[in-house]
Amino acid sequence: MSELKHLKSQWEAVMSCMGCGDCGYAIRPAVDRYLTCPVKEAKGGEGFEIYFSRGRMNVLKSLLLGQIPLSKELADFVYQCSECGNCTEVCHMSQNEYIVLNTSKWIDHVKVWEALRQDLIEAGFAPLDKHGKLIDYMNDVSMRNPYGEEEANKFAWISEFPEIKEEGDLILFGGCTMPLRQVDTLKSMMKIFKAAGREIAMSKNEWCCGSIALRIGDQNSLIDIIKHNVEIFKEMGAQTIFTACAGCYRTWKKDYPELLGEELPFKVKHITEILTEMLNNNEIPFKPVEGSETVTWHDPCHLGRHMNLYEIPRDAILKIPGLKFKEMKRNRNNSWCCGAGGGVKSEFPDLALDISTERIKEAIDTGAQILTTSCPFCIGNFSDAYKEMEPKDQEKINIIDIIDLIAGKI
Amino acid sequence: MSEVYQKLEKIVEGKHISKDLYVRHAYSRNVDLVLQGVPDIVIRPKDAQEVSEIMKIANEENIPVTPRGGGDCEFGGSKPIGNGGIVLDTKRMNKVINLDQDNLIVTVEAGISWGKLNDFLCNFGLYTGCMGPGSGMTAAVGGGISHHSVGGGGCAKYGACTNQLVSLEVVLPTGDIINTGSQANKYSKYPFNRFGNGPDLAGLFCGDNGIFGVKTQVSLQVFPKPPYAAYKTFQLPRKEREVSAKIMTEIRQKGIEVYDLMFLMDLIVRLGCQEGMFPFWENLKKKRGVIFYTIEANSEVELDEKVKQLDEIMVNNKTEELGQEIQDGNIAKWHYAEQGHWQFYHNLWGIYPSMQPLTAECFSPIGLYPNVLNDIDQWDMEHNEDMQKIFNITKIRPIAGSGPVLLIDGNNVEITCGFTSFWNYYNGEVHDIIEETNLMLWKSLLERVTKHGCQWYMMGDYMSRLMVDIGAYSEEYYNLMKSIKQVLDPKMILSRGKFNFWGEK
Amino acid sequence: MTELYQKLEKIVSKNYISDSIYVRHAYSRVVDPVLQGVPDIVIRPKDAQEISEILQVANEENIAVIPRGGGDCEFGGSKPIENSGIVLDLKRMDNVVNLDQDNLIVTVEAGISWGKLNDYLCNFGLYTGCLGPGSGLTASVGGGISHQSVGGGGCAKYGSCTNQLVSLEVVLPTGQIIETGSQANKHSKFPFNRFGNGPDFASIFCGDNGIFGVKTQISLQVFPKPPFASYKTFLMPRKSEEVSAKIFTEMRLKGIDVYDSMYFMDLLVRVGTEKGIFPLWDNLKRKRGIMFYTVEANSDKELDGKVNQLDKIFEKNKSEELGSEIADGNIGKWHYEDQGHWLIAHNLWGLIPGFTALDAECHTPISTYPGILKDVDLWDVEHANEMEQILEIAGMRPITGSGPIILIGDHNVELTTGFTSFESYIDGEHYEIIEELNIKLWKSLLERITKHGVTWYMLGDILSRLLVEIGAFQPEYLQFLTLVKKTLDPRFILSKGKFNFWGDT
């Protein structure tokens, strides 16, 4: 039997789960809570309790008590979780700051799942096939991205923008997904910066942030990556680094200091923070607009629940001319996941699409014509689900990154 | 087992059944830290017909079946007793089937949660009155009926949720499907009345803890939610246990139909403030017990009148009103306006890591609870040595005490007492002594409370057997229960072992 | 027979047993003109112990036992179905055993009448909420529980009297004595709660029409009688059946807790004023349907608030308020203030000499009674031939119609419909043809109404068997009922023949 080293470090969390099950079923209309676990819901009739937190916690109790072993079979269950953190919200939230639930003091579900994933990896039952490849690519010196593309491809787009500097106090961390899968949005971003007269710098020496490995539970090469990335930005004179990717943002801002054991020597921001600053200062010269469209905002888990960045993107949207804003039924900390996170998209693409479809329907229900967000994984997964939807539903809504939404109005 | 599995698989299709080790362990526990039973098979049927077929096979093969709704039993009721058998996960049956808006009756599948049902009803300005148990975001309507549940709001006014029952569709242990109340008359087109057409056989399944039948459809009376409500929280003076009981009695004797009324003992307020649970009470000068009420009305003038009557009682008993807002300490507002009632557990649970409930939830007359609580303090002292054994390992002593004491209908309260202890797995090691002590102390406490004459409603594995083991039932009563069990379930398939109904192996 | 008699005599002593032919005939009928069963023995036990012994003897001897409370069953329930057996007259057991003033629970012997109990309670400002059946001056509390009775006031607010049940002492058909609810726990010192300690066994004796056990002690929740009440009576506009149903529904949808509300159909008002039953309505210009409500409150203003809401509904539905005094037509006042509720039987009964009830009392959803009443009219027309035959002999045609329609719990009404016919003995002669026609027509009407899907609560002799004969019970349900009966009463001693439970003869 494996040592369960990482899981044991989370024993207090596991043993503090009372098994109430709200992480699977919670509906509480008075506080806009409508269900919790996207995976369990997407599983429908197959939604055995192992597919949401309480059942998993029960399994972990049995593991810690030495009743059952780690196995590949277990890994297949465990990785069917987008680590969206919605279970944590219900488990912790009295929904009122003046009443605190005890569980909030001991249980951080995503940390527990990641500890288990680390143990599964160390015991050789994970990574699962596709996850293994992603990590190999990420560590491959000729790639440094999980998509298996040559490293140079990540930086090809920069050639169109000679104004990007090699040094400066505001530095973009480009990441992998944006340049390799959603490069037009980066170009839109440059259009905004140019129109606003902002200057940024970027390095062609950045490596994948390592998020994918962290979420999968493989920390083997992480410290090297972190040190490398931090070092190059320090050398470039960074005061602030920013990213247009919610995953990179969470990794940089939350995981890096934790794993390093020290604060980073610069600020880390998400693109929506930069955009909101610019909008507040009226830096962006919008063209005059006619009519108005209704837009709704999807909170990416890595921005919202993981990082508590709820209001800034909303502030941004409210400042964009010609838009009316409408919330989805489930928003902010109650927001429904897009289904892509935690490695679900790569290993269990159908599950990811089912979850995503549910979220798009929720957006359509608001009557909005535009669903916007700011995360390339959400955008990618939404787009894939959108392609499979009926044309009559497709007509009702467009899915667009907030950067493209703004750039389109300049 | 694989032959049984194949037979069952034919009933529900492959994806709704599992014998996977991990799935089975996911279903092996409820809300307590000592009882476990790992089933052989977990199955998720979609309707009464499938449940019926499953029951028939279980009878052929003599395999126990344990129904499970939300899985929120605090006495190990919705998992097998001992390893083995089939867990019937009814959560797939979670739809609203019909809302009869003329007659204010809703019919649902039994696996629906109280939260989901009330979310549906609020679109029509309706609610279920008694909002189910405190775990109502998860707990199933079927489970509520199986336990006479109270606690999730409204039970001072509406009583236990079984009061609202109109009709049941039940699969009997041998697989027959019956409908009760008005539906016993096969010409009745829709459920409208529980009482009639002969004996109230629905009652057999109310509070049966799942031993007499599997509820598959439930029709409940629903009510227009009154447009006006007031909720106030008060700090109690000295002798809070007696004073709170006096207040509850006076309200009943005045016949004021409070919607909810609860007393939280000083221990909870004190520890809760100390451990950061109740920021809104941190400014209280004295950390004494707290009491709150909620009252509803159809008009402002009625509401004012009722509030006046209630406040008079509160003032006469020297309580001090806290401010109106939640931040002022008005927990009643959170409870009613934010549906906190569904998250209102014993507040000592989880107060320290891995500290969990060994509960003793029961009904008691109002006048009795001060004594019961005092005796639990006494019990705690008497068992100091055993507590110490746990303390030696965990460095924190288990806590005996009571969560909120709720006024329910009749002139009763629900006492959510118990003792809160630690898992046998502590900091990397399994401590058998903790488990032994836990079980021993739990049993001892339950027996003690039983001897006060309290009434158990959620009995599950542990409590139902303990009642029999300590001879708390009269022989005639137990024989009646047993003879009905035998005739309905000759092989004792359903929820085998509860109330020590084991059948032959 | 004498040996049996001697055995029984030993149990109760000779003053309390009789086999006199006159005594036996005194107990041979209930409230209808056609059903008779002369018992062999009438016995008046004093407590559960004696009843237990009587039942043990009856089991040994395989002789039927028929419990009888007030003897007000309208379907021949409290007399033997055939000419034999023992009638157990429970009226000797009519004491109040205990009033728990703290917990507002009264414990009585089952033979006490609702009137006597409420006379006792009013000394303490209390009442039973639902005041039992309309015959509550006589009808016993045990009988009320055995039939889920409503009608004697308060049932719109409190529902049927079984809603208030806390605990029962019951003698099972084989002689065991059990106590239910909180009393199932031997350690409980007094009854306080119905629900818990496992399944709600009390329920199977509720509405059992005396087939599962003999109730000997009953604990009921009682309530402080609110100090303020208002009662108003209204003349309905055209289409009074539909309008009254609409008013009932609107009160329910608004959630106003009316204490009572009743509707008298046009026919009753017309015939009633013609025949001098209702002098209070003589001056009405139009003899249309009448409706009244009673509502209670804890304060003046609260009462006003409720009255406003109710009056708005009546006004909107174009009903005309009558004056406030009984003399002005306010039957609501007589009903509540003069306790007329215990005299409010079907007003067609006894309209002329020898004119008595062949009844069809049932519960039905509010919205269905206009349809049922129309169909009852239609039924009457369809059976004109038979009616004529009776007319030729009696000189008057039987009348089909409905007595007061009463709002009860669960958004239902009690429909006191039926047809009123003649005794077979008219002016010195006995007409068998009338008896035959009466039975035939009664069965036909009951079947007709059953097919509207109503719920029967008082089933007695004729209706309980009719339901079985016409296959109205869902087969699985009847099987289930039979199983429970067999388990409790293997020789089918108790209330032999009801539901066609005959046993071996």
Side-chain angles (χ1 to χ4, degrees), chain A residues 6-75:
Chain A
H6 301 284
L7 189 59
K8 281 181 176 176
S9 73
Q10 288 292 323
W11 74 274
E12 289 186 331
V14 175
M15 294 298 167
S16 292
C17 168
M18 284 183 305
C20 72
D22 289 349
C23 48
Y25 302 103
I27 292 178
R28 186 172 158 195
V31 292
D32 299 324
R33 163 58 62 191
Y34 301 98
L35 291 172
T36 319
C37 181
V39 170
K40 183 205 136 228
E41 293 310 315
K43 286 281 174 186
E46 272 175 87
F48 289 98
E49 295 206 4
I50 188 138
Y51 289 112
F52 68 93
S53 290
R54 172 173 67 179
R56 285 161 194 252
M57 286 293 191
N58 261 327
V59 169
L60 300 195
K61 283 169 184 167
S62 295
L63 271 170
L64 285 172
L65 291 167
Q67 297 174 347
I68 51 174
L70 292 175
S71 69
K72 164 75 168 55
E73 195 185 335
L74 176 62

Side-chain angles (χ1 to χ4, degrees), chain B residues 103 179 184-186 193 197-198 200 203 207 221 253-254 298 302 305 309 411-412 454-456 471-473 488, chain C residues 101 103 182 185-186 192-193 195 197-198 203 207 254 298-299 302 309 410-412 454 456 471-472 474 480:
Chain B
N103 296 301
N179 291 280
N185 176 353
K186 68 181 189 197
N193 193 309
N197 293 325
D200 173 21
Q221 248 188 297
Q253 290 181 337
K254 275 264 177 194
N298 264 340
E302 281 170 87
E305 285 297 301
Q309 293 158 29
N411 302 292
N412 286 194
C454 292
Q455 181 155 359
W456 303 99
Y473 288 118
L488 295 179
Chain C
Q101 280 188 267
N103 295 301
S182 55
N185 177 354
K186 287 199 306 213
F192 62 90
N193 194 309
F195 299 130
N197 292 329
S203 73
K254 275 264 178 195
N298 264 338
S299 79
E302 221 180 308
Q309 292 158 38
D410 289 0
H411 316 310
N412 286 190
V454 303
W456 301 100
Q474 189 198 18
F480 176 52

